[in-house]
Amino acid sequence: MYNTLTRFQEQGLIHSPQANHWSLTGLGKVAAKIIDNCQQTESVLAIDSDFWQTHDVTAIPPRFRLRLSELAGGQVVTATETRPSNAISEIEERLINANAISAITPVYDEQLADAGTTGEIERLIFDEAVFDDVIQETISSRIEAKETMRVTDVSVTVTVTDDCLLLSLPTLDGTYDPQAVFIAETEEARCWGHRLLDFYWDSAEPLDHYLSGQS
């Protein structure tokens, strides 16, 4: 034990402000935070290792991948042989019960779109391809609050409601996977989702500008 304390002191991680009392230095506090972050990240990946092994986490921007620890306490809901629509049904129920919804999506699912109409839509960020192929023809002409929509290039699906975060990743070959969703209900996870929305929102093109550029 003494040798360990001596080694930590030599590395500048701890100091002894008074006899028989040890405290972390500034460097020690940074190191402790990094270790805690790594442990929390491991706990997130351990929730369902198959999900993280078979899905492309690089669809999440680097700065947010480094903060996966903020998703601790979540769960992965997947389709099963007896319940092939398990993940979709879970997402649908969450949307129906939501009071407020913000989302990033590279796909359009009519069932989920209908489920989301019960809550207040705060922000929607669509992938360019899905907007051009589906959204523009089906719903854009009926939307009054177009300032809540933007368009950019995305491959990850993130939905933040007033009580949860829903995260869907593409498979390793880039295919959208409707059969698995990561769900977290903590305030920290929701904040992570909102910051990710901010990241895409700031670089996305406002809907009116995007439509005028196509005309």
Side-chain angles (χ1 to χ4, degrees), residues 52-71:
W52 299 106
Q53 289 173 12
T54 58
H55 291 80
D56 186 8
V57 72
T58 63
I60 301 172
R63 72 178 70 173
F64 296 95
R65 293 202 301 270
L66 293 175
R67 302 178 68 171
L68 286 179
S69 59
E70 297 175 16
L71 307 186

Side-chain angles (χ1 to χ4, degrees), residues 69-193:
S69 59
E70 297 175 16
L71 307 186
Q75 62 173 318
V76 175
V77 176
T78 60
T80 65
E81 290 186 4
T82 56
R83 298 189 64 188
S85 61
N86 196 32
I88 291 293
S89 296
E90 182 69 27
I91 297 172
E92 182 180 27
E93 182 178 352
R94 299 275 181 165
L95 293 177
I96 290 174
N97 293 324
N99 295 315
I101 299 170
S102 294
I104 306 166
T105 179
V107 298
Y108 179 73
D109 185 300
E110 186 172 1
Q111 177 181 350
L112 297 183
D114 289 342
T117 58
T118 59
E120 178 185 357
I121 303 299
E122 296 183 336
R123 290 186 292 181
L124 290 176
I125 304 171
F126 291 105
D127 180 70
E128 291 182 12
V130 71
F131 183 86
D132 292 344
D133 295 344
V134 182
I135 307 302
Q136 188 169 350
E137 296 181 359
T138 58
I139 66 172
S140 64
S141 62
R142 293 184 280 115
I143 290 181
E144 296 179 358
K146 292 185 178 180
E147 68 275 6
T148 65
M149 298 177 63
R150 292 193 177 185
V151 181
T152 189
D153 181 27
V154 295
S155 58
V156 61
T157 304
V158 179
T159 303
V160 184
T161 73
D162 44 301
D163 62 3
C164 73
L165 164 79
L166 306 170
L167 170 66
S168 296
L169 295 174
T171 57
L172 295 178
D173 64 2
T175 304
Y176 173 71
D177 181 14
Q179 297 186 325
V181 58
F182 181 92
I183 303 173
E185 298 178 338
T186 65
E187 182 64 25
E188 192 171 23
R190 292 178 60 254
C191 287
W192 180 92

